[in-house]
Amino acid sequence: RDRVVLTEVSKTYDTPTGSTVALSPTDLVIEPREFVSVVGPSGCGKTTLLQLLGGFLEPSTGTLLVGDDRVDGPGPERGVVFQSPTLYPWLSVRGNVEFGPKCRGVDKKTRRAAAERMLELVGLGEFAGKRPYELSGGMQQRAQIARVLVNDPRIILMDEPFGALDQLTRERLQVELLRLWRESGKTIVFVTHSVEEAVFLSTRVLVMSARPGRVIVDRRIQLPGDDD
Ligand code: ADP
Ligand code: ADP
C-alpha cells in the first residue's frame, strides 16, 4: 500500500550558467516499514532525492509512485523533518504540534489530546506550554518530530535531522527514533552524511556519489533476530 517506487527518476537543475544533473535516472523500491538511510558526500543528491520523495521537487524524468498514486506534491501520508527546526515562534510548543490538525479542521479537544500524546511520546510533556525559543536545540528537534507525527504520516522523510546537534543529544535522539520506528511500523527515509549513523539506525543503506548524483551501493542490514 505504501510502497515507494521510483522508475527512472532523475533531476536536473537548470541554472543561468548551464545545468546540473543532481540525480541521474534511478530505479528504487522502498518497502513499507523499511528504515532507509541515504549517505554520501556533499552534493551527491541526497537532499534532491528526499525532496523528490517529499513532493517538493518534480522529477525531470521518470515516475515516482507512493502506493498506486503518482506523487505530484506533498501529501499527508508523507511527513518531512528538516535539519533545523522550523517551529512557529509565536505559538507554544503545543500550538505548534496542533497546527497541522487545526488546519485540517480537527476539533479542538481531539487535536489538543493528540498533541499532548505526541509531546509525551517525544518526552516533552512538561514543555507543552513553553515557546520554542525556551527549549534546547534537541528539544526543538523533538517538538518538530512530534509536529510531524501528529499527522500520522505513514512515511517519514528526514533530512539530516540531528546534524546540528551535539553528539550526546544526537545519540539520545537516535535511540528515541529507533524506538519510535520499532513501535510505529512506519517507513523512514533518513538522509545523513554519517555512515556510522546510517549503519546504526537503518535496515538498509543507500550510498550515493556525485557528478552525477546516483546510488552506487544499496545494502540491506541484517539485524540480530531477523529471519528473512
Ligand atoms: P546533497 O544533499 O547530497 O548535498 P543536493 O541534492 O543538495 O546534494 O545537490 C546535488 C547537486 O545539485 C549539487 O551539485 C548541487 O550543487 C546541485 N543543486 C542542488 N540544489 C540546486 C538548485 N536549487 N539549483 C541548482 N543546483 C542545485
Ligand atoms: P536535549 O537532549 O533534548 O537537547 P538537553 O541535553 O539540552 O536536552 O537538556 C537535558 C534536560 O535538561 C532536558 O531533558 C530538560 O529536562 C532540561 N532542559 C533543557 N533545556 C531546558 C529549558 N530551556 N528549560 C527547562 N529545562 C530544560
Side-chain angles (χ1 to χ4, degrees):
R1 183 170 64 120
D2 299 330
R3 175 188 272 192
V4 178
V5 182
L6 287 77
T7 309
E8 294 279 302
V9 169
S10 75
K11 183 67 195 178
T12 303
Y13 294 104
D14 292 316
T15 61
T17 51
S19 60
T20 308
V21 179
L23 184 68
S24 42
T26 297
D27 293 321
L28 182 66
V29 177
I30 299 172
E31 300 290 347
R33 307 182 65 105
E34 278 196 298
F35 192 141
V36 182
S37 283
V38 184
V39 295
S42 182
C44 68
K46 303 184 292 296
T47 295
T48 297
L49 176 61
L50 205 82
Q51 299 213 341
L52 287 164
L53 295 173
F56 300 114
L57 282 176
E58 201 179 0
S60 303
T61 66
T63 53
L64 170 52
L65 301 178
V66 174
D68 295 328
D69 300 323
R70 198 179 168 130
V71 169
D72 59 359
E77 77 288 355
R78 283 163 288 136
V80 185
V81 178
F82 297 103
Q83 173 161 12
S84 28
T86 50
L87 300 167
Y88 300 123
W90 57 86
L91 294 176
S92 65
V93 170
R94 182 195 294 112
N96 270 278
V97 178
E98 273 186 63
F99 193 78
K102 187 176 176 182
C103 291
R104 289 201 311 279
V106 175
D107 71 85
K108 186 159 185 172
K109 203 172 151 203
T110 308
R111 67 177 192 249
R112 171 75 35 116
E116 300 280 354
R117 197 165 61 245
M118 290 309 141
L119 286 168
E120 287 295 334
L121 187 71
V122 298
L124 288 179
E126 294 168 52
F127 298 89
K130 300 260 187 209
R131 292 296 189 91
Y133 57 79
E134 295 181 87
L135 306 185
S136 70
M139 295 165 86
Q140 288 183 32
Q141 199 54 281
R142 283 173 3 210
Q144 161 123 317
I145 292 170
R147 191 169 66 166
V148 168
L149 291 178
V150 78
N151 300 314
D152 201 24
R154 302 190 298 269
I155 300 167
I156 303 178
L157 307 169
M158 308 180 97
D159 194 354
E160 300 212 33
F162 310 144
L165 303 174
D166 65 273
Q167 189 176 340
L168 192 65
T169 306
R170 183 163 60 237
E171 285 175 6
R172 217 185 293 154
L173 292 196
Q174 286 170 347
V175 171
E176 285 181 25
L177 180 65
L178 264 184
R179 181 175 52 80
L180 195 143
W181 170 72
R182 285 202 199 95
E183 289 171 5
S184 70
K186 295 183 187 298
T187 307
I188 299 182
V189 181
F190 187 98
V191 166
T192 173
H193 58 258
S194 163
V195 175
E196 196 187 7
E197 183 171 58
V199 171
F200 174 65
L201 288 173
S202 327
T203 58
R204 182 179 176 191
V205 179
L206 304 179
V207 182
M208 298 184 67
S209 76
R211 280 185 276 282
R214 63 201 172 96
V215 176
I216 53 168
V217 176
D218 178 355
R219 171 141 330 156
R220 287 198 165 68
I221 298 176
Q222 199 81 9
L223 297 174
D226 275 8
D227 35 19
D228 54 311

